[in-house]
Amino acid sequence: MAEYKWPAMAERSWIGKRVSRLDGPQKSGGRAKYGSDMNPAQLLHGAILTSPYAHAKINSIDTSAAKASPGVTAVITIEDAGKEIQWEGTIIAAVAAETEAQARDAARKIKVDWQVLPHLVQDDDLGKAGSRAKPAGEKIQGDPDAAKTGAAFRMSGEYGIPVLTHCCLEPHGQVIQWKGDEIVSWSSTQSVSNYAGDLGGQIEVPATAIKVHQDHIGGGFGSKFQSDQWGAFCAQLSKQSGGRPVKFFLDRNVELMIAGNRPSHYAKITLGADNAGKITLWESDSWSSGGFAGGNIPPIPYVFTKIANQRLSHNAVSTNNGPQRAWRAPNHPQASYLTCAAIDDLAAKMGKDPLEVFLANFDLTARGDAYTRQLKKAAKLIDWAGNWKGRGKNRQGHIAHGLGIGVATWGGAGHDSRATARIHPDGTVELECGTQDLGTGTRTIMTQVAAETLGLPMDAIRLKIGENAYPPSGASGGSTTAGGVSSSTRIATTDVLNLLFEQLSSSLDNTPAANLEARNGRIQVKGNPAKGMSWREACRKLASPIEALGHNNPRNPRGLNTGGAAGVQVAKVSVDTETGVVTLDKIVAVQDCGLILNPKTAESQVYGAMIMSVCGALYEERIVDELTGRMLNADMEFYKLAGAPDIGEMVVEMEIDPENDARGVIGLGEPPVISGIAAIGNAVANAIGVRVPMVPLTPRRVLDAMNGNGRIS
Amino acid sequence: MSSPKEQDKHKGSKGEVSRRGFLEVTSAGGAAAATVVLDQPAGAQSRTQAGARIAGPGPVAITLNVNGKMLKVSVEPRETLLDTLRGPLDHTGAKRVCDRGTCGACTVMMDGKSVYSCTVLAIDAQGSKIETVEGLTADLKNDALVNAFVEHDAQQCGYCTPGFMVAAKMLLKETPKPTYAEVKAGLSGNLCRCGTYVGLRNAVLGAAQGGRA
């Protein structure tokens, strides 16, 4: 049985090193090709007609003018007469034409007779939801009534966090060619290996007839797991256009309306604590909406799951908005905000420093030691002791300063992944895997692992990913990719190296394979480097290429990967009390993440996640108009993202040490995106002296809260 | 969030009317000009009595100077420079993200000034020197700014990165030794969703300190 465990920290050549991402030059120079960049010969362009109404019935559709429009090659009706549509942006029909402009012209000529129906698009006021709110049950633990009566301190507050859209910069879409019996797709997908089966299921074509290519993807964040209806109708348009390829990507406005969003969460929360500051009671009435299908129950109380006495009730609100999709750490940022804001408010009620209250209650979490260690580190990095003053007590003129805390937990164990490693007699090495690089650095870490295992430089490894012809590997979601592909790569390269060792044994005095090692471009006898040969010389002894398939089975990850990341973030803000403008001065992340394959790209993940948190805390939200049922900011002027000047100083402290390293690889996509909103929200409350209940913390909401009008709806 | 330079991007570099400028003109009472354009027979290029150049509405043959090469292409007058570059000219470094002059992913240089190519009509770019990210980083391996982007990991998914590259080239051309505040301002006309601003800021500062960008 081969030994797959990671080499000891001190003995690593590539793993754990700050290696620059391999596709960096291609991306920086605009050479990297995305699905939306593909321009195959004879390309046609797609365009769509969407519903302008949030809720309406189609009386009739007339596509005759569109079919007769110049340049049109195919018109498909997606929703038929009689259909009741439930959100703005629903795709009604699609057109293919010689040019994009001609396709748009034709789509505009499609006539739809609508019967407009009443809608509900806003979800912040449960009282207005009526029958659209569906109770999702009540959960009781311990004796909440007694805890409420007996609590030395009690705090009640309400908190809200709105719907965000994924706003991937590369919109959803693809170029597809359906010619004869074969389909070729250049898609924008988080799941190269599963795309063909998903698309094939929609259009009744065997997965084996569908080839998927994707070198790069311009953002997914959980919204690009499926082939989607646009994959299906784009394929149909191609088929109906004589097998010419068709390019269709969503326009920005439709992208923001229908291509995924993070559900809202609202909660009225009561906390109780004893004289020592120990939390004894959690009560919450929560509601959420992720569109027409309703909303998820948030995982609250978040992290502090062991609060003895709890009563929770939840309502899922169905609204006439585009449907939710997984959004980087689904439901966790919302739950972290709701929970950490309530604990921060409890500390204020007790007149205590929230740092002390969080520390005093970490035994109510699954990993109290980790959170205690991390919060102490974060507090030091932001000089909590020197900077913290009570709520509303740190003012210089009209500028108020504050500090706040947020906590996070995530799994992140590796997914099911297969990779093939192949050594050729000329010494070249191929590594094939049906995974995808979302920009997290997947290419880079796989190459590091392969080079490490084979004792070669990184440029000796020819890595091939992004095609479904390669061994299947899981979708990139839930921080599962790093663990999955690093483990399958480690197993494949270890096994193929053992095959090489076995073939070399006779050339090296019959040294058993177990006593050989690959180091510094040589195959040599362990403990006797002089006895060996160069890699190329060794490979020349092969009669034909050798290969091995590595499989990371999540049920038996062989110690190579695991789940369970903990993180703490602490924010420092300044608030202009005259304008209500919040400035993030500094944010610190302390994150454990097992064995860090590449600190440089790992830190980038954390920086990026913190910046996303700044967006969510201060700027971005979907705004829908109850009167018209329409999204008012389906664009990038008013769907606000932070820019380069808006993000303040960022400090990332990755916990790299033997204890964490021994846990194996843990994915890092989700953990750092969870707690930043809570930290910033709490820092603003600390600065201005009152809670701003609803995020993002826009100037108006800040001023309203300071004037005693803070509310969630 | 906007820098003075960002304002320049809304105009064609030679004072010609960009798409946004066109909208401003028409909303100020210039609708008659648009009507004249639409009244012309398809495929025609002609002049009004007053001498204004008329193109379209059908495709017209134009020549664009892209990265030093004269490229012939047939476009409808309503087509943006961005779509012409990405489609028929297959220069896909510039990306279409917001398609309305907000995000900067489509940034190119026209006559040495950065512009949002989604706000410039292709026909208005005739006679201008257009430089795309591919041209501005022609020597990819030895480009100091590319190397700084890589060294400081100024990209994740990479879809916004080419736009930032052009913006950074513009910044360092005008301000070779920028302060930290100038770097932030110089990058403020572009947006990133993955959150690469830390790497971007460090990359531009690093390249400037190296004095080679």
Side-chain angles (χ1 to χ4, degrees):
Chain A
M1 189 67 192
E3 179 62 73
Y4 301 111
K5 71 176 184 186
W6 299 112
M9 286 180 88
E11 292 173 19
R12 295 174 190 164
S13 302
W14 297 110
I15 292 173
K17 307 300 179 194
R18 301 184 67 84
V19 176
S20 293
R21 70 179 61 229
L22 297 176
D23 48 14
Q26 297 295 313
K27 285 181 170 177
S28 290
R31 276 34 161 230
K33 290 282 183 183
Y34 298 72
S36 51
D37 294 333
M38 293 301 160
N39 292 317
Q42 297 289 304
L43 183 65
L44 298 169
H45 296 267
I48 54 172
L49 179 76
T50 61
S51 168
Y53 301 111
H55 186 198
K57 191 173 167 186
I58 300 171
N59 288 330
S60 65
I61 302 181
D62 178 1
T63 58
S64 54
K67 285 176 177 160
S69 196
V72 170
T73 56
V75 178
I76 291 175
T77 306
I78 291 158
E79 303 293 357
D80 294 318
K83 173 79 176 185
E84 195 175 318
I85 65 92
Q86 298 289 355
W87 55 83
E88 183 197 12
T90 302
I91 299 174
I92 309 301
V95 174
E98 296 289 341
T99 71
E100 190 174 8
Q102 287 175 329
R104 290 176 191 275
D105 285 347
R108 272 194 293 269
K109 291 175 186 168
I110 297 169
K111 293 190 187 74
V112 180
D113 181 38
W114 294 100
Q115 180 190 347
V116 181
L117 300 168
H119 58 247
L120 175 76
V121 295
Q122 292 183 349
D123 56 17
D124 52 345
D125 188 344
L126 190 59
K128 286 184 185 165
S131 62
R132 304 289 296 269
K134 297 270 185 280
E138 190 179 48
K139 182 184 142 193
I140 293 174
Q141 177 178 311
D143 188 344
D145 288 330
K148 201 169 186 174
T149 315
F153 298 98
R154 238 167 43 202
M155 185 293 303
S156 292
E158 55 180 33
Y159 311 91
I161 183 164
V163 169
L164 305 187
T165 79
H166 293 68
C167 197
C168 306
L169 294 197
E170 181 182 38
H172 288 63
Q174 63 291 303
V175 175
I176 285 193
Q177 180 162 28
W178 185 348
K179 193 173 184 181
D181 295 332
E182 189 175 84
I183 293 176
V184 181
S185 165
W186 296 267
S187 52
S188 186
T189 179
Q190 293 177 239
S191 187
V192 165
S193 286
N194 300 322
Y195 184 93
D198 186 57
L199 177 64
Q202 287 199 75
I203 57 177
E204 295 179 357
V205 167
T208 47
I210 302 173
K211 288 184 179 170
V212 181
H213 301 270
Q214 178 186 264
D215 286 337
H216 301 282
I217 168 176
F221 312 113
S223 68
K224 290 180 178 170
F225 291 125
Q226 309 299 324
S227 58
D228 281 314
Q229 60 177 159
W230 36 86
F233 71 67
C234 199
Q236 300 283 7
L237 287 170
S238 171
K239 187 183 190 188
Q240 291 182 22
S241 302
R244 291 174 64 184
V246 177
K247 180 185 282 196
F248 174 77
F249 285 79
L250 295 176
D251 282 341
R252 180 55 46 188
N253 60 340
V254 180
E255 173 77 15
L256 266 57
M257 287 176 205
I258 69 168
N261 60 65
R262 184 175 94 177
S264 61
H265 281 294
Y266 301 87
K268 296 180 178 178
I269 298 170
T270 297
L271 289 184
D274 63 20
N275 269 317
K278 180 71 69 186
I279 301 169
T280 53
L281 169 71
W282 172 283
E283 275 191 349
S284 59
D285 293 302
S286 57
W287 68 98
S288 66
S289 182
F292 188 65
N296 310 52
I297 300 175
I300 50 176
Y302 187 66
V303 173
F304 296 88
T305 49
K306 298 181 186 169
I307 295 173
N309 306 291
Q310 301 182 20
R311 178 191 287 118
L312 295 93
S313 72
H314 185 79
N315 274 275
V317 180
S318 164
T319 60
N320 297 101
N321 296 299
Q324 67 177 29
R325 294 186 175 200
W327 195 104
R328 208 169 174 182
N331 303 312
H332 281 233
Q334 301 99 310
S336 177
Y337 169 69
L338 298 177
T339 303
C340 296
I343 293 174
D344 187 82
D345 284 350
L346 175 68
K349 185 97 180 200
M350 292 191 285
K352 287 187 178 233
D353 181 344
L355 181 78
E356 290 169 20
V357 175
F358 273 87
L359 288 172
N361 285 284
F362 278 145
D363 59 341
L364 300 176
T365 73
R367 294 188 61 205
D369 291 349
Y371 290 116
T372 301
R373 179 186 73 230
Q374 292 181 337
L375 182 53
K376 286 180 175 171
K377 279 188 197 173
K380 200 170 177 185
L381 286 166
I382 211 155
D383 189 16
W384 187 284
N387 284 315
W388 188 84
K389 296 194 172 88
R391 274 197 174 179
K393 289 179 181 161
N394 192 354
R395 277 220 192 188
Q396 285 161 319
H398 64 286
I399 304 296
H401 304 281
L403 294 175
I405 296 166
V407 297
T409 181
W410 191 255
H415 57 201
D416 199 293
S417 172
R418 286 175 170 81
T420 295
R422 188 177 302 116
I423 301 173
H424 292 266
D426 69 350
T428 52
V429 178
E430 283 174 305
L431 181 65
E432 296 177 344
C433 179
T435 187
Q436 49 280 320
D437 190 335
L438 271 51
T440 50
T442 304
R443 276 188 179 85
T444 313
I445 57 167
M446 288 181 77
T447 307
Q448 286 176 265
V449 169
E452 180 81 49
T453 309
L454 300 175
L456 292 172
M458 283 180 63
D459 61 9
I461 311 297
R462 171 101 195 275
L463 176 66
K464 295 161 143 183
I465 64 169
E467 296 200 13
N468 64 334
Y470 303 140
S473 195
S476 286
S479 301
T480 58
T481 304
V485 302
S486 63
S487 301
S488 61
T489 299
R490 177 70 173 169
I491 294 166
T493 46
T494 302
D495 285 352
V496 79
L497 184 62
N498 275 321
L499 291 177
L500 181 63
F501 286 163
E502 284 165 16
Q503 298 211 20
L504 292 176
S505 179
S506 58
S507 312
L508 290 165
D509 298 344
N510 292 320
T511 308
N515 289 350
L516 294 175
E517 64 178 3
R519 266 179 190 272
N520 304 320
R522 285 176 58 79
I523 307 293
Q524 59 198 32
V525 175
K526 281 182 188 171
N528 185 8
K531 192 169 174 184
M533 64 187 86
S534 74
W535 175 266
R536 289 192 67 142
E537 198 182 336
C539 294
R540 269 201 293 270
K541 298 189 184 299
L542 296 172
S544 56
I546 53 173
E547 67 176 37
L549 177 69
H551 177 210
N552 178 58
N553 179 349
R555 280 170 298 186
N556 177 22
R558 306 171 197 252
L560 292 171
N561 68 82
T562 187
V568 168
Q569 292 185 17
V570 178
K572 182 165 176 264
V573 302
S574 297
V575 183
D576 186 320
T577 57
E578 291 178 353
T579 64
V581 170
V582 177
T583 303
L584 178 69
D585 297 323
K586 182 173 179 176
I587 185 163
V588 171
V590 180
Q591 185 70 53
D592 81 357
C593 205
L595 186 160
I596 306 291
L597 293 160
N598 184 334
K600 183 184 275 194
T601 51
E603 284 167 12
S604 285
Q605 282 294 298
V606 184
Y607 285 130
M610 288 200 287
I611 290 167
M612 269 194 160
S613 300
V614 176
C615 295
L618 300 181
Y619 303 113
E620 66 176 309
E621 66 182 310
R622 185 185 70 190
I623 302 170
V624 278
D625 177 39
E626 196 56 62
L627 190 64
T628 59
R630 307 195 71 164
M631 182 171 173
L632 298 178
N633 59 345
D635 53 52
M636 290 180 72
E637 303 91 285
F638 300 109
Y639 190 87
K640 293 234 171 256
L641 302 179
D646 302 322
I647 56 166
E649 182 190 354
M650 303 204 145
V651 177
V652 175
E653 174 79 7
M654 300 298 301
E655 297 196 303
I656 299 177
D657 55 57
E659 193 184 333
N660 272 305
D661 191 90
R663 300 175 69 201
V665 177
I666 303 175
L668 190 53
E670 341 289 305
V673 87
I674 294 168
S675 56
I677 294 177
I680 295 167
N682 287 342
V684 170
N686 177 229
I688 64 175
V690 291
R691 170 65 51 186
V692 185
M694 185 77 196
V695 292
L697 307 167
T698 59
R700 178 174 179 166
R701 288 193 179 118
V702 170
L703 293 176
D704 280 351
M706 291 179 64
N707 291 328
N709 295 321
R711 58 185 188 273
I712 53 176
S713 60
Chain B
M1 279 173 61
S2 68
S3 66
K5 279 196 294 300
E6 189 189 345
Q7 304 303 318
D8 293 342
K9 290 183 177 176
H10 300 318
K11 287 184 184 156
S13 59
K14 295 171 68 185
E16 293 179 16
V17 180
S18 68
R19 190 164 68 175
R20 175 166 296 202
F22 176 77
L23 294 173
E24 284 163 1
V25 170
T26 52
S27 63
T35 309
V36 172
V37 171
L38 294 174
D39 281 346
Q40 294 302 307
Q45 280 202 77
S46 60
R47 284 179 184 275
T48 63
Q49 285 180 335
R53 193 158 46 88
I54 303 298
V60 293
I62 62 171
T63 302
L64 295 178
N65 177 351
V66 182
N67 300 329
K69 288 185 181 156
M70 301 304 286
L71 303 177
K72 288 184 177 167
V73 61
S74 173
V75 299
E76 287 193 46
R78 58 179 162 171
E79 195 168 323
T80 63
L81 174 60
L82 171 65
D83 287 349
T84 304
L85 286 170
R86 287 183 53 77
L89 298 181
D90 202 30
H91 285 53
T92 56
K95 305 298 187 207
R96 191 168 85 185
V97 173
C98 74
D99 207 19
R100 48 200 278 175
T102 302
C103 74
C106 65
T107 305
V108 301
M109 286 200 200
M110 269 178 77
D111 298 320
K113 292 276 183 191
S114 57
V115 298
Y116 294 151
S117 64
C118 75
T119 65
V120 178
L121 292 174
I123 55 169
D124 269 342
Q126 293 177 92
S128 288
K129 187 182 165 199
I130 300 155
E131 292 169 284
T132 68
V133 67
E134 293 95 336
L136 290 165
T137 61
D139 187 4
L140 193 62
K141 278 189 177 170
N142 299 305
D143 189 290
L145 200 50
V146 168
N147 289 336
F149 270 46
V150 175
E151 171 62 27
H152 294 276
D153 207 24
Q155 65 242 303
Q156 286 187 33
C157 88
Y159 211 68
C160 70
T161 315
F164 272 102
M165 175 58 67
V166 180
K169 291 264 180 188
M170 187 72 215
L171 168 67
L172 294 182
K173 188 170 137 183
E174 292 196 326
T175 315
K177 297 283 178 190
T179 63
Y180 187 48
E182 285 169 335
V183 169
K184 290 195 282 188
L187 300 179
S188 67
N190 297 60
L191 292 170
C192 169
R193 183 48 155 167
C194 299
T196 56
Y197 301 128
V198 174
L200 283 162
R201 298 190 310 201
N202 292 338
V204 176
L205 276 175
Q209 280 157 8
R212 291 168 290 123

